[in-house]
Amino acid sequence: MRAMVLEAPREPLQPRELPIPRPAVGQVLVQVSACGVCRTDLHVLDGELPDPKLPLVPGHQIVGRVVERGQQAGRFEVGQRVGIAWLAWADGSCRYCREGHENLCEQARFTGYQVDGGYAEFAVADERFCYPIPEGYPDAQAAPLLCAGLIGYRCLRMAGDAQLLGLYGFGASAHIVAQVARHQGRRIFAFVRSGDEEGARFARQMGAEWAGDSLRPGPEPLDAAIIFAPVGELVPAALRAVRPAGTVVLGGIHMSDIPGFPYHLLWGERVVRSVANLTRRDGQEFLELAPRVPVRTEVETHSLVEAAAALERLRRGQVRGAAVLVP
Ligand SMILES: [Zn+2]
Ligand SMILES: [Zn+2]
């Protein structure tokens, strides 16, 4: 099969011919029809996440069809469309798994990081960590639901019942979260890079009632903020923008250092919290909710060999919505 392979962090992805992987016990072999490109892929490629499997096939927003089932795999039929997301495996037995926090499992493995992912024509996955994909979504439009959507949804849950929600960094996650939040009757302010007129326009189109500079507070105090951009200086900026008892949720797996800030920004029982990975429950809930909103994803598609170009567009903030690879 054709695959894009990372041989060492900070080196360019290489097109390679690899053997088609064999499904082990409990696994399915999936023919990949689309794989979303995520900022986490950039963090893996840039060496910002420690100890990736090497060589590695990145990609953790995989939509495809089951073409073969390993022994004892019977959850999906051959031919059925499934999704594979970031959480590839959890042990089910550690204290975090037992508490319902499998996202924090001490033995967890992640797709496109510790196991091969979807920048390829085929991928294998533990069937218990796959998701049926709702009807009505073409493959490429479904792919961003699997990380941008799931992580965004988990962040939105952590924002509690906030009525006025600020979204910092209006990329793949925010454009999905905005639609869900509007569906729930919440109001959205979008905070974008200073001078990013096109980003502000896109945010308004997706339901934000106001869009402006991310380093300044908005026209009204926020009940909660979600930061999707991996930029530490947005944390004090968002604390400035939320009201007392408001929450600032950090949705990225990696962020540049958070600069020091005066205590009064946190004072007033404001909360800063991170969101780490996702659980299968997030996936089931969100994939049931998405068609009822209905969430519509904006995607640009690229071929497998264009992966590096798609990642560069993402790095520069040039992608409107989500970038998706179509092998
Ligand atoms: Zn565990
Ligand atoms: Zn992701």
Side-chain angles (χ1 to χ4, degrees):
M1 68 171 184
R2 290 182 310 129
M4 296 304 290
V5 175
L6 178 72
E7 290 177 343
R10 292 175 295 281
E11 284 184 13
L13 284 175
Q14 300 291 343
R16 290 279 184 260
E17 290 278 336
L18 298 180
I20 295 175
R22 309 297 310 160
V25 176
Q27 287 188 330
V28 286
L29 173 66
V30 171
Q31 183 165 18
V32 178
S33 34
C35 182
V37 174
C38 177
R39 184 163 288 281
T40 299
D41 302 340
L42 278 177
H43 296 315
V44 172
L45 267 57
D46 291 348
E48 289 167 334
L49 300 187
D51 306 321
K53 169 192 178 289
L54 290 173
L56 173 74
V57 179
H60 58 268
Q61 308 187 79
I62 305 168
V63 176
R65 292 200 181 267
V66 174
V67 289
E68 195 183 335
R69 301 185 294 188
Q71 282 179 24
Q72 293 166 39
R75 186 177 163 211
F76 300 104
E77 300 299 326
V78 169
Q80 194 172 344
R81 189 165 73 143
V82 297
I84 302 169
W86 173 242
L87 183 63
W89 189 83
D91 61 13
S93 59
C94 73
R95 60 180 290 188
Y96 298 105
C97 285
R98 291 198 313 268
E99 287 169 356
H101 295 126
E102 66 182 6
N103 57 312
L104 303 176
C105 176
E106 290 164 330
Q107 303 294 328
R109 291 205 293 270
F110 299 102
T111 312
Y113 176 32
Q114 289 144 337
V115 302
D116 281 337
Y119 286 21
E121 291 176 299
F122 294 89
V124 289
D126 186 318
E127 65 170 5
R128 296 169 302 166
F129 292 83
C130 297
Y131 304 86
I133 298 288
E135 295 302 313
Y137 286 92
D139 295 333
Q141 278 73 15
L145 300 177
L146 289 162
C147 184
L150 261 62
I151 293 286
Y153 175 71
R154 188 171 176 86
C155 291
L156 187 59
R157 276 223 328 254
M158 299 305 176
D161 55 7
Q163 274 306 299
L164 180 53
L165 184 67
L167 299 178
Y168 285 73
F170 211 89
S173 276
H175 99 291
I176 293 173
V177 167
Q179 296 175 56
V180 176
R182 294 288 298 129
H183 173 75
Q184 294 171 335
R186 308 182 200 231
R187 301 168 57 209
I188 300 289
F189 285 0
F191 294 80
V192 299
R193 275 187 263 209
S194 172
D196 183 4
E197 286 307 319
E198 208 192 315
R201 204 174 313 124
F202 179 60
R204 278 190 222 100
Q205 199 183 314
M206 290 289 134
E209 67 181 75
W210 174 90
D213 183 347
S214 56
L215 293 179
R216 296 162 183 276
E220 290 173 55
L222 305 170
D223 298 319
I226 304 174
I227 302 181
F228 292 114
V231 180
E233 65 178 332
L234 292 176
V235 175
L239 280 168
R240 241 177 224 112
V242 300
R243 64 168 174 80
T247 301
V248 176
V249 180
L250 314 184
I253 194 167
H254 181 270
M255 185 177 245
S256 57
D257 286 353
I258 301 169
F261 55 86
Y263 181 52
H264 76 80
L265 293 185
L266 190 60
W267 176 250
E269 302 194 340
R270 291 176 179 85
V271 174
V272 177
R273 69 165 304 158
S274 64
V275 158
N277 311 316
L278 48 91
T279 66
R280 283 174 281 178
R281 196 183 131 212
D282 297 324
Q284 283 143 16
E285 283 182 13
F286 176 69
L287 291 172
E288 278 170 27
L289 175 64
R292 286 191 277 120
V293 170
V295 171
R296 292 282 168 247
T297 56
E298 297 272 327
V299 303
E300 54 173 57
T301 58
H302 301 267
S303 69
L304 215 44
V305 291
E306 291 168 342
L311 285 158
E312 242 356 86
R313 285 179 53 72
L314 178 61
R315 188 192 296 283
R316 296 198 186 132
Q318 293 168 335
V319 177
R320 287 291 154 249
V324 176
L325 303 182
V326 178

